[in-house]
C-alpha cells in the first residue's frame, strides 16, 4: 500500500536540510588567488532568482518583486535609450486585489472574506529568437490571466500565440532543438495531467505522451541541463516508491528513498543505468552545469566515497563516473547556483566555509575543487542566481558585497583577473 503524498512530503520536509554537507578532508585552502579587476552595480531589486541577456546590452532581473532591467553599456546616454525599448510587465498573484493592510495585498474570496496574497515570484527566464519565456508562480501579467508561465515579445508585450497555463510552480525552462521542457512542481498543464515536467513545441503545445515521472509519488525539479541532443538531466528531489511503513522510519531512512538526479531522453524515457550513477547524492539538488568534460551537481547533500567526504558540489565525467579528485572544502549550508567560467567553477547560495569568515555564500574553485581566494572581496549576502555574460560574472541575491573600500548591494557584475 502506498503512503499518502501528504504524509510523505511532510516527512521529507522534516528531513530536507538534515544532511547539510561537510568535508573533513585535509585539502589545503587557497591553492591560488585572484582579484576582481572590474565591478559594476546592477539592479537594486532584492531576492532575484533569474537573470537573462535580452540583447543590446540589456539584462533582465526577476524574482520576488517582479522584473527590472539594466543596460550595461559604458555610455550612460546609450544605456538610457536602449532600456526604453523594453516595457517591463507587471506580475500579480491574484486579479482582484482591492486593498492593502500593513503593506500586504488582500483579495476577495467567494464568501467576501479576505485572504493574504503571496507575492508573485519569477524563477526562470529563457531567451528565444522572438522573445523571452518566463516561468514562476503568478496568476496574471499586465492584468491578463496567465498562470505561472508567459511568453513576452522582444519589446516586453505578451505574445498570445504562446498558449500555456501551468497548475503549479515553474522553476526551469530549457529549449532543445524544436522542443521546450518546462519543469518545477507541476500538476496540470493546459487542463491536462502533468508530472513536474512537460515537453511542448515552441508555441507551448503539450506532448501528452511525454510523461517520464508519472509513476513517481513525489517529484520536484529545481534545475535541468541538456547533456546532448537526446538527453536532459534533471536535478531536484524524487521519490518513486514508498510503503505505509515508511512514514514510521527515521528522517535519515526517509532520505534514503529519495533520488536527486535523473536523466531522461527526448521521448520521455528515464535512462535508469545513467541515472543510477548519481544515486549517492541524497537530500536535494538545486543546480546543474556541464562543460566539455564534466557534469557539476550542487545543492544540499553530503556522502562518503572511499573514506573521503564530499559535500554540496561534486563532479562527474560525461559518462556518469564520479570524479574523486574534485573535492571542495567543508561547507555549512547549501548551494543554489553554479556556473563554469573557463577553468573555474563559481557557486553561490547560503553557506559558510570553515577556512574563511570574511566571505559568505560566494566562492570560486578550480577544476579540482580547490578554493581560489578572491583577495579584494568580502560578502554578506544570500546568492540565488549566477550567470556569465561576456566573461563577466553576474551575481544576484540579497545582501552586501564589499570590494576594497566600495560597497554594493543585491546584484552586480564583476570581472576576475586571469
Amino acid at each position: 500500500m502506498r503512503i499518502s503524498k501528504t504524509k510523505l512530503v511532510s516527512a521529507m520536509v522534516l528531513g530536507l536540510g538534515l544532511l547539510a554537507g561537510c568535508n573533513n578532508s585535509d585539502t589545503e585552502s587557497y591553492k591560488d588567488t585572484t582579484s576582481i579587476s572590474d565591478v559594476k552595480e546592477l539592479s537594486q531589486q532584492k531576492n532575484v532568482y533569474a537573470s537573462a541577456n535580452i540583447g543590446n546590452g540589456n539584462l533582465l532581473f526577476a524574482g520576488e518583486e517582479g522584473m527590472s532591467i539594466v543596460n550595461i553599456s559604458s555610455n550612460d546616454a546609450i544605456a538610457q535609450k536602449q532600456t526604453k525599448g523594453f516595457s517591463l510587465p507587471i506580475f500579480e498573484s491574484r486579479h482582484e486585489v482591492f486593498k492593502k493592510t500593513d503593506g500586504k495585498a488582500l483579495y476577495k474570496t467567494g464568501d467576501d472574506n479576505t485572504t493574504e496574497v503571496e507575492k508573485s515570484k519569477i524563477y526562470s527566464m529563457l531567451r528565444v529568437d522572438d522573445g523571452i519565456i518566463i516561468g514562476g508562480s503568478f496568476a496574471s501579467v499586465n492584468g491578463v490571466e496567465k498562470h505561472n508561465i508567459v511568453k513576452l515579445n522582444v519589446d516586453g508585450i505578451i505574445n498570445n500565440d504562446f498558449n500555456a497555463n501551468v497548475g503549479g510552480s515553474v522553476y526551469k525552462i530549457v529549449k532543445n532543438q524544436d522542443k521546450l521542457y518546462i519543469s518545477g512542481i507541476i500538476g496540470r498543464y493546459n487542463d491536462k495531467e502533468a508530472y513536474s515536467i512537460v515537453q511542448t513545441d515552441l508555441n507551448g503545445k503539450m506532448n501528452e505522451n511525454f510523461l517520464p515521472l508519472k509513476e513517481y509519488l513525489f517529484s520536484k525539479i529545481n534545475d535541468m541541463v541538456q547533456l546532448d541532443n537526446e538527453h536532459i538531466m534533471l536535478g531536484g528531489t524524487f521519490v518513486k516508491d514508498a510503503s505505509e511503513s515508511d512514514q514510521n522510519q527515521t528522517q535519515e531512512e526517509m532520505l534514503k528513498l529519495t533520488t536527486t538526479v535523473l536523466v531522461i531522453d527526448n521521448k520521455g524515457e528515464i535512462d535508469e543505468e545513467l541515472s543510477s550513477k548519481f544515486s549517492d547524492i541524497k537530500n536535494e539538488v538545486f543546480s546543474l552545469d556541464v562543460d566539455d568534460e564534466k557534469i557539476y551537481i550542487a545543492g544540499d547533500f553530503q556522502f562518503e566515497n572511499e573514506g573521503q567526504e564530499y559535500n554540496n558540489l561534486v563532479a562527474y565525467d560525461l559518462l556518469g563516473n564520479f570524479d574523486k579528485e574534485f573535492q571542495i572544502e567543508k561547507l555549512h549550508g547549501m548551494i543554489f547556483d553554479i556556473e563554469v567560467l573557463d577553468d573555474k567553477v563559481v557557486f553561490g547560495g547560503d553557506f559558510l566555509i570553515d577556512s574563511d569568515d570574511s566571505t559568505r555564500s560566494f566562492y570560486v574553485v578550480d577544476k579540482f575543487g580547490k578554493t581560489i581566494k578572491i583577495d579584494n572581496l568580502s560578502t554578506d549576502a544570500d546568492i540565488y542566481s549566477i550567470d556569465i555574460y561576456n566573461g563577466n560574472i553576474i551575481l544576484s541575491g540579497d545582501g552586501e558585497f564589499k570590494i576594497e573600500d566600495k560597497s554594493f548591494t543585491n546584484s552586480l557584475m564583476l570581472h576576475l583577473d586571469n
Side-chain angles (χ1 to χ4, degrees):
M1 180 177 179
R2 287 178 176 263
I3 183 175
S4 70
K5 183 178 292 187
T6 299
K7 291 180 180 179
L8 178 61
V9 173
S10 297
M12 288 179 61
V13 168
L14 290 173
L16 293 178
L18 176 68
L19 301 180
C22 56
N23 182 344
N24 294 324
S25 70
D26 295 325
T27 303
E28 293 183 4
S29 302
Y30 309 138
K31 295 291 288 186
D32 200 356
T33 62
T34 188
S35 298
I36 295 172
S37 58
D38 191 24
V39 62
K40 181 175 183 178
E41 192 165 61
L42 301 174
S43 172
Q44 291 297 304
Q45 182 178 343
K46 292 182 179 180
N47 295 330
V48 166
Y49 301 135
S51 60
N53 168 26
I54 58 172
N56 294 324
N58 290 325
L59 298 179
L60 276 182
F61 296 87
E64 278 194 8
E65 300 176 0
M67 304 180 72
S68 56
I69 188 169
V70 175
N71 189 282
I72 59 173
S73 170
S74 59
N75 186 308
D76 289 341
I78 294 175
Q80 291 176 7
K81 181 178 179 181
Q82 289 179 335
T83 54
K84 291 180 180 178
F86 186 90
S87 178
L88 287 174
I90 297 173
F91 291 79
E92 291 182 340
S93 293
R94 296 290 186 273
H95 296 293
E96 196 175 5
V97 177
F98 69 98
K99 69 175 182 178
K100 290 187 177 181
T101 302
D102 296 329
K104 297 177 180 178
L106 304 176
Y107 73 97
K108 283 187 176 180
T109 61
D111 56 3
D112 290 331
N113 292 325
T114 59
T115 304
E116 186 177 322
V117 177
E118 293 185 2
K119 291 181 179 179
S120 63
K121 297 179 178 69
I122 298 169
Y123 296 116
S124 182
M125 297 190 290
L126 174 67
R127 181 73 165 91
V128 291
D129 292 339
D130 57 346
I132 183 167
I133 303 172
I134 297 169
S137 178
F138 50 83
S140 69
V141 183
N142 288 343
V144 178
E145 189 172 352
K146 294 289 180 180
H147 291 282
N148 306 317
I149 192 167
V150 65
K151 183 177 181 180
L152 305 176
N153 294 325
V154 292
D155 56 3
I157 304 301
I158 295 173
N159 183 328
N160 288 312
D161 291 333
F162 184 80
N163 180 28
N165 281 288
V166 171
S169 294
V170 175
Y171 292 154
K172 187 72 175 184
I173 310 165
V174 300
K175 179 177 178 290
N176 184 357
Q177 299 183 47
D178 61 346
K179 303 295 183 185
L180 295 175
Y181 295 85
I182 301 164
S183 67
I185 301 179
I186 299 173
R188 305 285 294 178
Y189 184 89
N190 285 351
D191 294 326
K192 301 288 185 181
E193 284 191 3
Y195 303 90
S196 292
I197 183 170
V198 295
Q199 182 195 75
T200 76
D201 65 16
L202 299 183
N203 288 320
K205 183 179 179 181
M206 178 183 182
N207 176 2
E208 297 181 24
N209 296 317
F210 182 89
L211 300 168
L213 302 179
K214 185 175 182 179
E215 300 303 318
Y216 277 71
L217 182 64
F218 174 83
S219 55
K220 175 189 178 188
I221 300 172
N222 294 318
D223 201 6
M224 297 186 289
V225 67
Q226 184 175 326
L227 297 182
D228 54 41
N229 287 337
E230 303 294 326
H231 296 88
I232 289 181
M233 176 177 281
L234 314 177
T237 304
F238 311 94
V239 177
K240 186 173 185 180
D241 295 307
S243 65
E244 188 70 31
S245 62
D246 288 326
Q247 62 185 303
N248 298 318
Q249 295 184 12
T250 66
Q251 293 173 357
E252 288 193 29
E253 288 172 334
M254 286 295 295
L255 288 176
K256 291 179 181 178
L257 297 172
T258 68
T259 298
T260 60
V261 175
L262 292 173
V263 179
I264 62 173
D265 65 21
N266 55 17
K267 296 181 175 61
E269 297 293 329
I270 295 176
D271 187 327
E272 300 286 359
E273 181 179 359
L274 183 53
S275 297
S276 68
K277 294 188 175 184
F278 309 100
S279 60
D280 284 339
I281 305 174
K282 301 297 183 182
N283 211 26
E284 189 157 15
V285 165
F286 290 114
S287 185
L288 304 165
D289 204 2
V290 61
D291 62 13
D292 293 337
E293 298 177 349
K294 295 182 181 180
I295 299 166
Y296 297 92
I297 301 172
D300 181 15
F301 56 81
Q302 72 171 14
F303 62 87
E304 186 175 296
N305 183 285
E306 296 184 359
Q308 296 293 320
E309 291 189 5
Y310 297 83
N311 75 138
N312 297 290
L313 175 58
V314 291
Y316 293 75
D317 69 18
L318 300 181
L319 298 177
N321 299 306
F322 182 60
D323 184 352
K324 294 181 291 185
E325 302 301 318
F326 184 91
Q327 187 177 25
I328 67 170
E329 295 185 63
K330 183 177 180 181
L331 180 156
H332 302 281
M334 59 193 74
I335 297 172
F336 295 139
D337 206 3
I338 53 171
E339 287 286 343
V340 178
L341 175 61
D342 301 325
D343 59 348
K344 303 176 181 68
V345 182
V346 297
F347 57 97
D350 181 9
F351 59 81
L352 291 169
I353 285 182
D354 274 356
S355 62
D356 187 0
D357 59 4
S358 66
T359 300
R360 181 168 73 85
S361 297
F362 173 65
Y363 270 79
V364 180
V365 298
D366 67 14
K367 288 301 185 73
F368 294 97
K370 304 296 187 293
T371 301
I372 300 174
K373 173 71 175 177
I374 305 175
D375 58 17
N376 58 345
L377 169 72
S378 63
T379 66
D380 185 15
D382 293 338
I383 296 171
Y384 302 117
S385 174
I386 301 177
D387 284 296
I388 306 299
Y389 178 75
N390 288 347
N392 298 299
I393 301 171
I394 309 295
L395 294 180
S396 302
D398 183 10
E400 183 179 57
F401 305 85
K402 190 171 183 179
I403 299 169
E404 295 176 351
D405 60 345
K406 295 182 180 179
S407 294
F408 305 86
T409 56
N410 300 340
S411 295
L412 72 162
M413 179 175 70
L414 57 87
H415 187 83
L416 296 178
D417 288 336
N418 293 328

